[in-house]
């Protein structure tokens, strides 16, 4: 076989096998409907990290949490922080939490940072904001956006007998073994 033909066959096989590995990282829609997206692309934190490792030039990690969460709770070292919602400083007694408001510059900021052809893995605290952010990006023309369904901190432990009940230690980027940092 001619050298250029072998090279072409190798490249075709490399891309075919590589595309299957991305598909295998996908998972079915999560049970929690707040984590569902219009694009229907889901990945857990551990597989999100593996996807990024395989092709860091094409696979991008977008952390859509507030800058305060990104800095003080930690973040994946390769993540770009573009908040989809921002902190208002106003207490919501009904939710027993501080209110967040939509960031009107979110989509435009993401378009400046990423190409619409990039694979974007969106992470928030637990998978809810990242689902809403994924939907906003889909409406803005992005088609290859995944919700990292267990987020950065993960889901809360529900076991009544666990000393960790109510703590976000069940899954998520921070608990998956993937690297994370407080460094900026």
């Amino acid at each position: 076989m001619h050298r250029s033909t072998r090279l072409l066959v190798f490249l075709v096989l490399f891309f075919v096998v590589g595309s299957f590995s991305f598909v295998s990282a996908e998972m079915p829609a999560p049970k929690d409907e707040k984590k569902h997206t219009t694009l229907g692309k889901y990945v857990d934190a551990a597989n999100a990290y593996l996807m990024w490792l395989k092709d860091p030039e094409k696979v991008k990690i977008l952390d859509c949490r507030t800058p305060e969460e990104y800095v003080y709770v930690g973040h994946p070292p390769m993540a770009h922080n573009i908040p989809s919602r921002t902190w208002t400083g106003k207490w919501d007694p009904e939710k027993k939490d501080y209110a967040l408001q939509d960031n009107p510059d979110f989509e435009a900021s993401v378009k400046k940072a990423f190409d619409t052809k990039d694979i974007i893995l969106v992470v928030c605290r637990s998978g809810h904001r990242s689902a809403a952010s994924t939907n906003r990006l889909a409406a803005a023309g992005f088609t290859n956006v995944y919700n990292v369904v267990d987020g950065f901190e993960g889901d809360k432990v529900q076991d009544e007998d666990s000393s960790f009940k109510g703590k976000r230690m069940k899954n998520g980027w921070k608990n998956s073994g993937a690297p994370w940092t407080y460094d900026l």
Side-chain angles (χ1 to χ4, degrees):
M1 190 183 291
H2 194 274
R3 193 173 124 196
S4 61
T5 306
R6 282 192 305 239
L7 179 61
L8 180 62
V9 169
F10 171 79
L11 289 173
V12 168
L13 286 173
F14 177 79
F15 286 109
V16 169
V17 171
S19 67
F20 285 127
S21 66
F22 280 129
V23 172
S24 67
E26 286 186 46
M27 54 188 290
K31 291 179 184 176
D32 184 347
E33 291 198 16
K34 291 180 184 176
K35 296 182 182 187
H36 289 195
T37 68
T38 56
L39 294 175
K41 295 183 180 202
Y42 310 100
V43 65
D44 64 16
N47 282 306
Y49 178 59
L50 294 175
M51 285 175 71
W52 178 83
L53 275 177
K54 181 156 178 51
D55 193 356
E57 292 301 314
K58 188 171 180 167
V59 177
K60 308 298 180 183
I61 309 289
L62 170 61
D63 190 323
C64 69
R65 295 175 300 156
T66 66
E68 296 84 2
E69 290 172 289
Y70 184 83
V71 171
Y72 297 118
V73 178
H75 56 272
M78 71 294 286
H80 300 265
N81 181 225
I82 304 174
S84 61
R85 299 180 56 93
T86 57
W87 192 67
T88 64
K90 296 178 184 170
W91 181 254
D92 183 339
E94 212 172 279
K95 290 185 178 180
K96 297 181 181 173
D97 201 353
Y98 287 95
L100 298 176
Q101 64 186 11
D102 283 343
N103 174 3
D105 300 322
F106 176 66
E107 293 87 345
S109 297
V110 173
K111 283 184 178 182
K112 284 181 187 173
F114 304 119
D115 188 281
T116 56
K117 293 181 176 113
D118 287 335
I119 296 169
I120 303 173
L121 311 178
V122 185
V123 64
C124 66
R125 179 186 64 194
S126 62
H128 294 156
R129 265 181 291 171
S130 54
S133 299
T134 296
N135 291 339
R136 287 177 67 179
L137 293 175
F142 289 88
T143 58
N144 228 351
V145 185
Y146 290 74
N147 181 19
V148 179
V149 297
D150 49 349
F152 182 72
E153 291 186 72
D155 295 315
K156 291 180 180 178
V157 173
Q158 300 296 329
D159 182 1
E160 292 292 330
D161 296 328
S162 174
S163 61
F164 299 115
K165 183 182 184 310
K167 307 273 188 297
R168 294 188 178 277
M169 299 178 71
K170 185 175 176 182
N171 49 25
W173 192 284
K174 214 173 187 181
N175 302 309
S176 73
W180 63 276
T181 185
Y182 296 111
D183 296 339
L184 297 177

